[in-house]
Amino acid sequence: GERIPRSARVVLLLGVTTVVTACAGGRAAPVPLGVTIAPGDYVVTQESPVARDEAGSPTAGAALFLLTPTGDIRLVAEPPVVDGPRGIQADARGNLVFADAFGPAIRRITPRGIIETLCEGAPLMKPKDVAPDRDGSYVVADFDTFRAGASTAIFRVTRDGKVSAIYRGSPLVAPHGIAVDTDGTYVIADLHCCIYRLTRAGTLTVVARGIPLVAPQDIKVDRDGTYVVTDIGLVMDPVTGRADPEASH
């Protein structure tokens, strides 16, 4: 794998989208989907594919980048190593774990900068987010709009790459973000205007639903136990799982 060089501590990061767009080496309209402060004082941002050919292969956009405080950017990984990275988080061992939506796979970058694949293929569909759990495993929010049958799931991935379902199906429509709460339960941002709580035993309850939520995309747990939610403002069709542009704002 490719090693990530050491960087100075980041005290302030501004204009991530602008920097990535300007420095992406001619890539077509990159779309930053995540950023984290990584172990060893790194900041890593990611993009998903914004263009694909008829065979479904990415033609632009998929990449992991290292950003420095001065705005310098270095490419860490691109296809075929990654193909739709998102949901990047640091775990207790200093790894950076991320969901690779079009693998489909869960991958991690070790503290030495080596990219490893924890698991790949079924039962993963198109994983959208991943969060380190207290026991060293990872929980994954996953859905595939175009998949027949059960197309939504929350998975657990162990350190050695074994995948098991914690929850599947309704009422989840488009689980896009996941985080581990202070009490060890999981909180889920569903693009269909809902925030859920999921126990380790698989009991799902509603935390918040409807306005002002429109399409919550990601969720994090703050130090005081409150939830910080990003909302992309798209109304999702509950049947197709796609955005309804006429109802969105």
Side-chain angles (χ1 to χ4, degrees):
E2 185 172 349
R3 297 183 184 277
I4 306 175
R6 180 166 294 278
S7 162
R9 177 176 297 276
V10 173
V11 292
L12 183 63
L13 180 65
L14 295 175
V16 173
T17 301
T18 302
V19 172
V20 173
T21 301
C23 304
R27 298 171 186 272
V31 182
L33 286 180
V35 62
T36 190
I37 298 178
D41 302 328
Y42 301 119
V43 171
V44 178
T45 188
Q46 62 201 352
E47 299 176 284
S48 74
V50 295
R52 304 179 75 83
D53 61 23
E54 292 182 357
S57 300
T59 58
L64 283 171
F65 291 104
L66 170 78
L67 254 64
T68 69
T70 58
D72 294 329
I73 188 167
R74 294 189 183 183
L75 180 67
V76 176
E78 62 182 335
V81 178
V82 297
D83 183 11
R86 57 189 70 197
I88 194 164
Q89 293 290 323
D91 67 15
R93 286 179 166 75
N95 300 299
L96 286 173
V97 60
F98 60 94
D100 202 338
F102 298 102
I106 302 299
R107 310 188 200 277
R108 65 187 172 195
I109 305 173
T110 70
R112 297 184 62 191
I114 307 301
I115 299 176
E116 301 176 336
T117 298
L118 272 174
C119 57
E120 189 167 15
L124 297 177
M125 296 170 287
K126 288 187 177 179
K128 302 300 190 295
D129 198 12
V130 59
D133 205 352
R134 294 177 172 185
D135 62 1
S137 65
Y138 307 99
V139 287
V140 178
D142 194 348
F143 76 94
D144 184 353
T145 302
F146 302 101
R147 185 185 180 93
S151 59
T152 62
I154 304 299
F155 291 114
R156 181 181 306 284
V157 179
T158 63
R159 297 174 188 172
D160 57 357
K162 294 180 180 179
V163 183
S164 59
I166 305 174
Y167 192 93
R168 285 183 182 271
S170 179
L172 295 177
V173 175
H176 200 283
I178 191 167
V180 180
D181 206 344
T182 54
D183 62 359
T185 59
Y186 314 119
V187 284
I188 302 162
D190 192 305
L191 287 173
H192 191 51
C193 63
C194 202
I195 303 295
Y196 293 100
R197 180 181 289 110
L198 178 65
T199 67
R200 300 179 70 86
T203 301
L204 190 72
T205 55
V206 175
V207 176
R209 175 181 285 145
I211 300 299
L213 296 175
V214 178
Q217 183 184 39
D218 199 7
I219 186 167
K220 293 293 180 286
V221 181
D222 209 350
R223 293 179 180 180
D224 62 0
T226 57
Y227 305 142
V228 180
V229 178
T230 56
D231 193 310
I232 58 176
L234 297 175
V235 176
M236 307 301 292
D237 185 309
V239 176
T240 66
R242 301 180 187 179
D244 181 350
E246 293 185 358
S248 299
H249 60 279

